[in-house]
Amino acid sequence: MMKRLHLLLALTIFATGTLCAQPRIALDSRSGHIRWEVRPVADTTGLPAVEAIVPGCVFASYVAAGVEEDPNFGDNAYRVEKSRYDRDFLYTGRFKTPTVEPGRTLWLHFEGVNRKGTVRLNGHTLGHLDGFMQRGDYDITDLVQPGGENRLEVEVEWVGFPVPNLRSPTYISSAGWDWMPYVPGLLSGITDDVYLTTTGDVRLIDPWIRTKVPDREHARIEILAELENRSSEPLEGTLEGEITPGGIHFSYPVRLGAGESRTVRLSEREVAALAVEHPRLWWPNGMGDPDLYTCRLAFNTGTDTSDSREITFGIREYGYEYDDAGIFRLKINGEKVYVKGGNWGMSEWLLRCRGEEYDTRVALHRHMHFNMIRNWIGSTTDEEFYDACDRYGIMVWDDFWLNSHPNLPQDLEAFQRNAVEKIKRLRNHASIAVWCGDNEGVPLAPLDDWLRGDVAHYDGGDRHYQSISNARGLSGSGPWANMHPSWYFTACPMPYGYKGRPAWGFRTEIGTAVFTTFESFRRFMPEEAWWPRNEMWDKRFFGKSAANAAPDKYFETVAGNYGEPTGIEDFCRKAQLLNLESNKAMYEGWQHHLWEDATGIMTWMSQSAYPSLVWQTYDYYFDPTGAYWGVRKACEPVHIQWSHADNTVKAINTSREAVDAVATARVYDLDGRLLPQFTQQLHVSLEPNAARYLFDLNFSQGNLARNRPVRASSSSRDGAGAQALTDGNEASRWSSEYRDDEWIEVDLGAVREFSEVVLRWEDAHAAAYRLQLSDDGTAWRDVYETQQAPGGEEILQLGMQQARYIRMQGIRRATQWGYSLYEMEVYRHDATAPRLSPVHFIRLELSDRDGKPLSENFYWRATRRGDYTALNTLAPARLQVRSKLTAEGARKVIRTTVRNTGRSVAFAIHVQPYRLSDGERILPYEAEDNYFTLLPGESRTIAFRFDGNLLPDDRYEVRAEAYNR
């Protein structure tokens, strides 16, 4: 039997002067205050009435009731009979009437129904909700059963077809996208909170707190509160407030006429304390602490409190500018912000992410050193998401509910009402940085002007309105497939530049397919579908259903880089290396050009809403993939990195503090032996919010052709011009026109002696060619010819030669394209190309003046582009693992030390704690690193931090496994 509920005064003023916000009684299904059930309105489907999950969608309730098999497993989601759920449903909830003090009004609140809902209480129609962000506030004082039970009904109308734009505002991806399947019922349901409150005659409606930061030592706060007198008499009272920390108190007299609604505006003119000295500013992650304030507002009439609110806010001021090239730049509190973030398609595909789960997901983004999440097409609506972003310093790029389809919502007025509701509900959140009208399109008239006006009026112009997500100062969308790491460092990585400017710039979407670990894979994939690749993988979007992710290319790259997989476990193991390398390079490639074009990057996607094989950092089960660790490393606020393209090493400082540091680079061969000729060290001062060139790692020492003049018969637009042949950049290339009889030549400046020429071809290589020499550039002699050139890296041993000019004369192309060469290198007879092992390792370190590590980075590099198969020749690693469990409040910590006790390099060690009780992984966790490499004799200690409830009996084991296991 439900306990009796009491609502006392909405606000009490204690002797200490502390204001307490009004209580509310949750009517969510987990609250214990109500019993919800759901059934079809027309009983023609055979579906029974089941216990309903509120907030949530209809389909999730039937899944929880066991009516449908787990849609996360196999192809179960695709076998559901959609027609059973693509219809209207009736929610019924029964709750006891709470005690309400005399003279007070009992309110029933709804915060969202998808897509429409008619609300009834005890047979009385209260209203109609239209759009999943429209709120409903209903006076039910005279409609409840005194001391008895009440019947609350919500008749939810199905969303209908087609979904994108036409049915907005709604969850546009609910009919399926290239990362989640169709949801039966299209996420219809009571999708947001339901609750009760009480007020007196005067209500506080949507209080709004605005802040300005003229400099770091001063801030101005402005409070706007709409007051509504619901009585038939004029009323006098005071608007009282308390802001903490800071101890700001105020009391402002207000007179309201009968039935009057008025917005009261308080600034430093009315309340001097709202001019704040030495404020605690809200900063994005990596730039400072995201300090928050609490404002408690109450409207009092005499000794009674009529209504109250508690608002959490951050003191901050966003700014927006465009550089000379028209590239968008974000600022906060007067400082430029380099954006590092990711896209959320949804929080969870069946809306089952609630409450504290948002804290978990957003905390993982903070741990990756992200500072922004893009709320793609506004598909995350829960207040808890924004609360978590506020706490963790994660800015939000917040879309409205439009995709690039050339159509308008069927009900423009409903869309407009929901847009206003969204802004008014969320504008107090410090984390919201940008409002965006449309995903990859400009909202069709009249919506673009409407939305711009809504932001200007209801958000006061405090945040920027961006019409389109990938143009007008932004650098386009995509690609969404893995590229060679050097590609991300190469001039204008923009194959989709037609919607933006061809640049690094500010990219709101770019990503790669990301395969899960085997332990996650087997949780959702039937064993008979594990291997080889099959149609069931396509159900998880590793196939034609997610063509943008280029799964064929991903599969081939894993095999090409690391050797043909022997089965699914081997494939998953090798895939993590591709995930780590490509995703780290993506962020580092942008940072390589920090403020010299690059102003921000967000991966598609940073979190998994459905058990999938593409576009994620951690997976659906919170297992951090290799992508997670690559991103975490790249996005460190103070970071050292190597360019795959030109072998330069840079330090990146995106913090607000200058750093004095020592940078060190070392190179090791495959056996872990130091190659001292590559070791470099530099003392350096790093300016805040800047990139600093440190030094080159010259892997072509003795190359006579480096930066020498080049001439070619032609240069096509596909390449970077003839000079790319000798620029030392392994990503830039010369490309000829699409003809066989084409050539390119290098001028060594004088007649030189040499014995070796290295050609590094792109896929469009020569099938047949000659190598020719000349002393004067006119008379040529052949020194080499082939009719079956293999492409890739060709090392030509020529014996002793003397010449000033060296020419590659094409005979026959291997493809329909022109000839395409990354580099031509020429070596003296006494200085052949450095004999690096086929795979070697680069270790970079950045430490402070006292030797304390600031950043460490590790790379594997191949002498033959993308060929890491030599890693498979490493002797099996021998690892010693020792762990200790401790407690830190409600969290537990497993500190694990892994030591390489063998003679070989222990490459890409993956460490994972497990529960002994059920053998399952302890997830989620936060740790410093994973997939790390140890040279012989080295050790590394990793601390795994997690919620203590994940290991109630303290019984665990830790497994560490190197790639060369």
Side-chain angles (χ1 to χ4, degrees), residues 667 669 675 677-678 699 833-840 861 863:
V667 178
D669 69 11
L675 303 176
Q677 67 268 34
F678 296 106
F699 292 107
R835 291 303 179 223
L836 294 163
S837 53
V839 173
H840 41 280
R861 180 181 182 274
T863 55

Side-chain angles (χ1 to χ4, degrees), residues 347-502:
S347 57
E348 202 274 342
W349 74 296
L350 297 184
L351 304 182
R352 293 179 294 191
C353 175
R354 297 292 170 186
E356 66 280 359
E357 294 181 28
Y358 280 109
D359 190 276
T360 297
R361 295 168 195 260
V362 176
L364 288 172
H365 284 66
R366 176 196 61 178
H367 189 249
M368 284 188 281
H369 303 297
F370 278 162
N371 59 20
M372 180 173 276
I373 292 172
R374 179 183 171 208
N375 184 13
W376 180 79
I377 313 193
S379 297
T380 300
T381 62
D382 296 323
E383 194 87 18
E384 295 90 339
F385 164 70
Y386 297 92
D387 290 341
C389 290
D390 289 345
R391 285 194 300 274
Y392 290 126
I394 305 297
M395 299 177 293
V396 179
W397 176 291
D398 212 344
D399 291 1
F400 290 95
W401 319 284
L402 295 170
N403 194 47
S404 53
H405 296 67
N407 54 25
L408 284 167
Q410 290 179 331
D411 190 336
L412 288 175
E413 295 299 330
F415 186 99
Q416 166 69 354
R417 286 193 298 270
N418 277 256
V420 172
E421 285 281 270
K422 173 170 177 151
I423 296 168
K424 292 169 71 174
R425 285 170 62 171
L426 302 177
R427 62 192 175 187
N428 286 317
H429 287 282
S431 52
I432 296 178
V434 175
W435 302 104
C436 186
D438 194 310
N439 176 56
E440 299 181 341
V442 174
L444 298 181
L447 284 186
D448 193 34
D449 287 340
W450 285 7
L451 290 170
R452 183 178 294 103
D454 292 340
V455 169
H457 181 73
Y458 294 103
D459 196 30
D462 291 346
R463 263 74 67 110
H464 173 66
Y465 172 72
Q466 174 77 18
S467 296
I468 181 173
S469 69
N470 62 354
R472 299 187 178 182
L474 308 177
S475 62
S477 299
W480 301 270
N482 61 285
M483 299 292 182
H484 186 276
S486 62
W487 185 89
Y488 299 103
F489 295 82
T490 308
C492 303
M494 192 55 237
Y496 299 89
Y498 61 92
K499 284 191 176 179
R501 66 181 305 277

Side-chain angles (χ1 to χ4, degrees), residues 370-653:
F370 278 162
N371 59 20
M372 180 173 276
I373 292 172
R374 179 183 171 208
N375 184 13
W376 180 79
I377 313 193
S379 297
T380 300
T381 62
D382 296 323
E383 194 87 18
E384 295 90 339
F385 164 70
Y386 297 92
D387 290 341
C389 290
D390 289 345
R391 285 194 300 274
Y392 290 126
I394 305 297
M395 299 177 293
V396 179
W397 176 291
D398 212 344
D399 291 1
F400 290 95
W401 319 284
L402 295 170
N403 194 47
S404 53
H405 296 67
N407 54 25
L408 284 167
Q410 290 179 331
D411 190 336
L412 288 175
E413 295 299 330
F415 186 99
Q416 166 69 354
R417 286 193 298 270
N418 277 256
V420 172
E421 285 281 270
K422 173 170 177 151
I423 296 168
K424 292 169 71 174
R425 285 170 62 171
L426 302 177
R427 62 192 175 187
N428 286 317
H429 287 282
S431 52
I432 296 178
V434 175
W435 302 104
C436 186
D438 194 310
N439 176 56
E440 299 181 341
V442 174
L444 298 181
L447 284 186
D448 193 34
D449 287 340
W450 285 7
L451 290 170
R452 183 178 294 103
D454 292 340
V455 169
H457 181 73
Y458 294 103
D459 196 30
D462 291 346
R463 263 74 67 110
H464 173 66
Y465 172 72
Q466 174 77 18
S467 296
I468 181 173
S469 69
N470 62 354
R472 299 187 178 182
L474 308 177
S475 62
S477 299
W480 301 270
N482 61 285
M483 299 292 182
H484 186 276
S486 62
W487 185 89
Y488 299 103
F489 295 82
T490 308
C492 303
M494 192 55 237
Y496 299 89
Y498 61 92
K499 284 191 176 179
R501 66 181 305 277
W504 287 275
F506 193 112
R507 190 77 56 89
T508 55
E509 285 187 36
I510 184 173
T512 78
V514 174
F515 217 86
T516 64
T517 62
F518 174 66
E519 288 185 279
S520 289
F521 179 85
R522 67 182 181 182
R523 284 196 62 173
F524 60 79
M525 189 68 70
E527 187 170 356
E528 62 272 16
W530 284 2
W531 192 263
R533 182 179 167 189
N534 54 74
E535 282 299 312
M536 189 67 80
W537 290 27
D538 191 32
K539 303 291 186 184
R540 302 295 161 162
F541 303 99
F542 200 83
K544 59 186 179 182
S545 60
N548 278 339
D552 292 348
K553 177 183 181 182
Y554 182 96
F555 195 89
E556 292 162 3
T557 304
V558 170
N561 284 6
Y562 300 102
E564 288 291 336
T566 58
I568 184 58
E569 290 187 65
D570 192 41
F571 180 78
C572 290
R573 186 169 62 99
K574 292 173 175 174
Q576 300 318 308
L577 301 181
L578 176 59
N579 292 341
L580 193 159
E581 184 185 48
S582 57
N583 282 271
K584 182 166 73 167
M586 186 167 68
Y587 283 87
E588 289 184 338
W590 250 252
Q591 289 170 176
H592 189 71
H593 304 277
L594 180 69
W595 305 128
E596 296 176 0
D597 184 297
T599 64
I601 177 175
M602 289 190 276
T603 188
W604 179 264
M605 292 183 288
S606 56
Q607 85 104 29
S608 177
Y610 172 74
S612 169
L613 298 173
V614 294
W615 300 324
Q616 56 200 327
T617 53
Y618 54 84
D619 66 25
Y620 184 82
Y621 309 103
F622 299 115
D623 189 5
T625 69
Y628 180 99
W629 299 109
V631 168
R632 171 173 161 76
K633 178 58 63 179
C635 293
E636 297 170 314
V638 178
H639 178 66
I640 188 168
Q641 65 180 53
W642 164 70
S643 167
H644 289 260
D646 62 10
N647 293 315
T648 58
V649 175
K650 288 187 175 182
I652 311 297
N653 180 12

Side-chain angles (χ1 to χ4, degrees), residues 126 149 205 222 230 238 264 295 313 317 370 441 447 507 629 638 673 956:
L126 301 180
E149 187 174 75
I205 301 174
E222 184 179 46
R230 302 186 71 254
T238 57
V264 174
C295 178
F313 69 99
E317 182 176 359
F370 278 162
L447 284 186
R507 190 77 56 89
W629 299 109
V638 178
R673 289 188 294 265
Y956 71 96

Side-chain angles (χ1 to χ4, degrees), residues 10-14 16-22 204 207 209 223 225 238-251 266 274 292-300 305 307-313:
L11 179 145
T12 303
I13 303 179
F14 294 99
T16 61
T18 300
L19 300 178
C20 297
Q22 71 166 345
L204 266 170
I209 298 181
I223 300 171
T238 57
L239 180 63
E240 300 197 15
E242 175 189 32
I243 296 176
T244 56
I248 299 174
H249 297 266
F250 58 86
S251 180
L266 302 179
L274 294 181
L292 293 171
Y293 287 74
T294 299
C295 178
R296 297 175 180 90
L297 290 176
F299 187 81
N300 297 326
T305 297
D307 198 3
S308 65
R309 291 287 187 275
E310 182 174 293
I311 307 102
T312 299
F313 69 99

